Structure formats: C-alpha cells, structure tokens
Amino acid sequence: MDAIDLKILALLQADATLSIAAIGERVGLSQTPCWKRIQKLEADGVIDRRVAVLDPVKLGLGLTVFVSIETADHSQEWLQRFAATISAMPEVLEFYRMAGDVDYMLRVVVADMQAYDSFYKQLIAVLPLKNVTSRFAMEKVKSTTALPLPAPPKTGRHLPGTAPVLAVVGE
C-alpha cells in the first residue's frame, strides 16, 4: 500500500458514501485508477465491507453492557458450541476470546435492564459458565469504526530529516 491507498482508506473510513469521482479528486486520481485501487483493496481483504453505522439510542437500544465470562471448560468442542451460540445472538456486537483472568469478553447492546436480564438468562442457560460479570456503560465518550492507519511509506533515498544529496553526472 502506498500513500494514495492510505488516503483512500482514510476517506472511506470517514464516509463510505463518497463517490469514486470525489475520492479520486481528493487523492489526485481520475475515476478509473481510483476505482481500480478500491477494487484491489477489496479483493485483498483490506476493505472488509462497507456498512451504515446506526445510532443505537435512536433505535431504542440505549444500554451497552460489557460482559466478562470465565469458564472451567477449555475444550475445543465446548468453544465451538459456545462460539456458535454467542455468534447467533443479535444483541452481541463483539465477541472476543481473551488472554488473562477472563476467558471471553462480549459487547452487548440492548434496550434496557429488563432486556439485558432476558439476555443474561439466555446466556447462562446455554452452557455451563464459571463466572459472568456485567459492566454497564454509563456514557459513551468515544466511539469510532475508523482504524488508525499507518504513516505513508517514505519515498526517496535520503534519511528522514535530512536534505537529499545530489550527485553531479560524470563524477
């Protein structure tokens, strides 16, 4: 990936509805080369998908819960059953297997405490769990889907912070 690819990715992370013409104009490309770069980024899996980010509060989903799970069973069979079950629960937006004192972490979004209680009862009924700890978000301070992109690759043969050395032909 070069600096233009990184600029395209930054623009798409900010607004995936931008037209190819608008993106191309902002990165200094015409439409066709810009579109080809985007297609390559998609084919390479760098762009996973383009989605609309919805406001959960406006949809009546005002409670975010971070759920830590510990289990006594670490077998492959248990993990496969647990992963399939959790992945099928629409309230679970993120699901991670963790290192450390917690085995799994979930980010759950529901309407209210009553909805979370229903989710919790469904969760503990599925498979035996050693411990489930729920942490309720009081305020969303930052939320983004934009990943921090690496700095563009350096070009040229001189070291950063130094002036390039010019050679005279015939030396």
Side-chain angles (χ1 to χ4, degrees), residues 90-102:
E91 302 90 345
V92 178
L93 273 59
E94 295 179 78
F95 173 32
Y96 298 94
R97 189 168 60 88
M98 306 295 289
D101 60 344
V102 172

Side-chain angles (χ1 to χ4, degrees), residues 2 6 13 20 42 59 62 77 85-86 91 101 112 130 151 160 168 170:
D2 62 13
L6 292 171
Q13 282 193 121
I20 301 300
E42 288 175 332
L59 293 169
E77 178 189 333
T85 301
I86 297 301
E91 302 90 345
D101 60 344
D112 52 26
K130 180 179 172 184
V168 178

Side-chain angles (χ1 to χ4, degrees), residues 26-85:
R26 293 183 190 182
V27 301
L29 292 176
S30 63
Q31 286 187 39
T32 300
C34 183
W35 177 240
K36 285 183 180 180
R37 282 179 179 257
I38 292 170
Q39 285 180 317
K40 182 167 179 4
L41 290 166
E42 288 175 332
D44 292 345
V46 176
I47 298 173
D48 186 35
R49 63 188 179 270
R50 295 187 235 179
V51 299
V53 179
L54 308 179
D55 183 333
V57 173
K58 291 183 179 174
L59 293 169
L61 300 169
L63 185 61
T64 299
V65 187
F66 296 91
V67 182
S68 304
I69 298 172
E70 295 176 58
T71 180
D73 190 344
H74 296 276
S75 68
Q76 189 65 29
E77 178 189 333
W78 188 92
L79 171 57
Q80 288 173 344
R81 285 182 48 214
F82 184 65
T85 301

Side-chain angles (χ1 to χ4, degrees), residues 78 80-87 89 118-129:
W78 188 92
Q80 288 173 344
R81 285 182 48 214
F82 184 65
T85 301
I86 297 301
S87 296
M89 297 173 142
S118 295
F119 169 83
Y120 176 82
K121 288 173 182 173
Q122 181 185 1
L123 174 68
I124 63 172
V126 174
L127 291 167
L129 302 172

